[in-house]
Amino acid sequence: MNDFIKKYFWLTIIFIILIPILIDLGFEFSETEKFIYYAVSALLALIVAVYSFLINKDISDKIDIKKIPRLESAKNRTDIFLLNKRVNTIGRDISNDIYLNNEKISRNHAVIYKFKKHYFLKDLNSTNKVYINDKEIIESILKDSDTIKFADIEFFFRLSDF
């Protein structure tokens, strides 16, 4: 977390908690003082939220999706699954990293994992198999632009150097 955000985050937390604690201890505040307190609390929270948004937006603007290993749908090129974990599970069960809602896909169909600098695809004993470049596989290394089929759903594996 950025130092600016940390500083204002803690200042906001302390400020929001301070007055209720003082009231519990028996201190009394006029309506004007309470209004100023709530206005400053809201302003500090707004500063933290806006600055945090701008920092995250700035970082996301710098991320080039073409630099991240991914699966791109062969049918619809806008369907992209980033492979941003060491192990990426694929299947019909919603708990998978890559959820494919299709009856021909097994609940836990396959896994793509990274070992050293390479990515591997492993079939998890699926009913309708896994194919790389139209060849059925049990486990295989992936290369850039490989065509992968899970049952009848086709993807392109995209990899670029980091």
Side-chain angles (χ1 to χ4, degrees):
M1 193 185 293
N2 183 300
D3 287 338
F4 178 86
I5 294 174
K6 281 183 192 174
K7 181 170 106 178
Y8 280 96
F9 172 79
W10 288 114
L11 183 60
T12 302
I13 296 299
I14 290 167
F15 206 80
I16 290 171
I17 294 172
L18 182 64
I19 295 296
I21 290 174
L22 291 176
I23 290 171
D24 284 347
L25 292 174
F27 288 88
E28 293 184 20
F29 297 94
S30 69
E31 291 303 314
T32 305
E33 289 170 328
K34 288 179 184 176
F35 174 78
I36 291 170
Y37 157 74
Y38 288 118
V40 170
S41 296
L43 182 62
L44 287 171
L46 182 64
I47 289 170
V48 169
V50 168
Y51 192 78
S52 183
F53 170 77
L54 292 174
I55 291 291
N56 289 335
K57 184 179 182 311
D58 186 44
I59 290 169
S60 64
D61 287 346
K62 292 177 184 175
I63 295 174
D64 182 2
I65 197 167
K66 293 185 189 298
K67 299 284 184 195
I68 300 173
R70 63 205 178 279
L71 291 182
E72 293 178 358
S73 172
K75 185 177 181 181
N76 180 358
R77 295 292 176 106
T78 59
D79 289 343
I80 296 171
F81 296 98
L82 300 180
L83 303 173
N84 51 5
K85 293 182 172 181
R86 224 177 234 311
V87 176
N88 299 271
T89 59
I90 302 154
R92 193 178 72 235
D93 191 298
I94 198 160
S95 67
N96 284 289
D97 300 311
I98 299 173
Y99 167 64
L100 301 176
N101 187 14
N102 183 307
E103 289 179 6
K104 294 180 180 178
I105 301 294
S106 298
R107 282 185 177 80
N108 297 300
H109 199 96
V111 66
I112 294 177
Y113 64 94
K114 184 177 181 181
F115 181 71
K116 297 189 179 179
K117 292 184 180 187
H118 301 286
Y119 282 84
F120 293 84
L121 174 60
K122 181 177 182 176
D123 185 350
L124 298 177
N125 200 24
S126 63
T127 304
N128 291 311
K129 309 301 175 202
V130 176
Y131 300 85
I132 296 178
N133 302 322
D134 294 320
K135 293 180 183 170
E136 185 180 325
I137 62 106
I138 294 174
E139 187 169 14
S140 180
I141 193 167
L142 288 167
K143 296 181 289 307
D144 190 40
S145 299
D146 276 347
T147 301
I148 300 171
K149 280 177 68 174
F150 305 106
D152 61 354
I153 301 175
E154 193 170 61
F155 292 93
F156 298 112
F157 176 70
R158 302 291 187 211
L159 177 68
S160 59
D161 298 329
F162 282 80

